[in-house]
Amino acid sequence: MGSRKKQMADAIKEAKKQVAFAKLNNCPTSPRKMRLVADLVRGERVEKALNILKFSQKEASNRLEKLLLSAIANWQAKNEDASIEEAELFVKEIRVDGGAMLKRLRPAPQGRAHRIRKRSNHVTLVVGANNNTQS
């Protein structure tokens, strides 16, 4: 491997060490309801985001809190020697995409049927370290 290529590979590896993610697939909540909670924590520091999710009344907040804790644990597994407080972790990115839809039929008047779509979603949460070394 050439020296430039190796330097670039090392730089990419170091950059990836500062970021960790967690995914939640096929969560049985509609994406619209999940996005309401996801928008609350986007860009927030991890400690503040955990408090927001803990005291939120929405049912989706329980699932997102668990997902955030998982992303923090993934970051800690990558950086065993670093501490969370010094790294100033924050929610770098949170994406809520639509998942599979269960289609059901509900009886309607005069022999008709209405389709009910039971929606699900996929959530991707990325946690990043904020290491600003400015004086």
Side-chain angles (χ1 to χ4, degrees), residues 7 38 74 124 130:
Q7 288 172 349
N74 292 343
T124 307
N130 188 12

Side-chain angles (χ1 to χ4, degrees), residues 20 71-84 89:
I72 294 167
N74 292 343
W75 185 88
Q76 211 162 17
K78 278 185 177 180
N79 305 286
E80 287 137 1
D81 53 337
S83 74
I84 296 172
L89 291 180

Side-chain angles (χ1 to χ4, degrees), residues 14 24-25 30 33 52 82 89 96 99 101:
E14 280 301 312
L24 174 64
N25 286 330
S30 79
K33 290 177 183 176
I52 290 170
L89 291 180
V96 181
M101 229 182 287

Side-chain angles (χ1 to χ4, degrees), residues 6-119:
K6 182 158 178 51
Q7 288 172 349
M8 197 61 190
D10 290 340
I12 290 171
K13 192 174 181 181
E14 280 301 312
K16 282 188 178 181
K17 257 188 128 172
Q18 299 301 320
V19 176
F21 72 97
K23 286 180 79 171
L24 174 64
N25 286 330
N26 296 318
C27 178
T29 312
S30 79
R32 187 176 181 179
K33 290 177 183 176
M34 188 64 86
R35 278 188 199 109
L36 285 173
V37 181
D39 291 340
L40 293 174
V41 297
R42 185 174 286 121
E44 296 288 345
R45 289 177 49 112
V46 165
E47 295 84 14
K48 188 175 179 187
L50 282 171
N51 283 333
I52 290 170
L53 293 173
K54 187 176 189 110
F55 295 110
S56 174
Q57 296 289 320
K58 303 273 189 191
E59 188 230 340
S61 64
N62 295 332
R63 291 192 172 102
L64 276 184
E65 183 183 6
K66 196 170 177 183
L67 186 68
L68 180 56
L69 288 170
S70 173
I72 294 167
N74 292 343
W75 185 88
Q76 211 162 17
K78 278 185 177 180
N79 305 286
E80 287 137 1
D81 53 337
S83 74
I84 296 172
E85 291 80 22
E86 290 174 12
E88 295 182 7
L89 291 180
F90 69 104
V91 179
K92 191 170 188 176
E93 181 183 347
I94 183 164
R95 257 193 337 268
V96 181
D97 304 318
M101 229 182 287
L102 295 173
K103 293 184 174 131
R104 300 288 180 257
L105 292 177
R106 163 146 301 167
Q110 298 180 352
R112 294 191 193 95
H114 289 158
R115 181 172 289 151
I116 291 183
R117 295 185 302 261
K118 297 192 173 204
R119 300 172 189 269

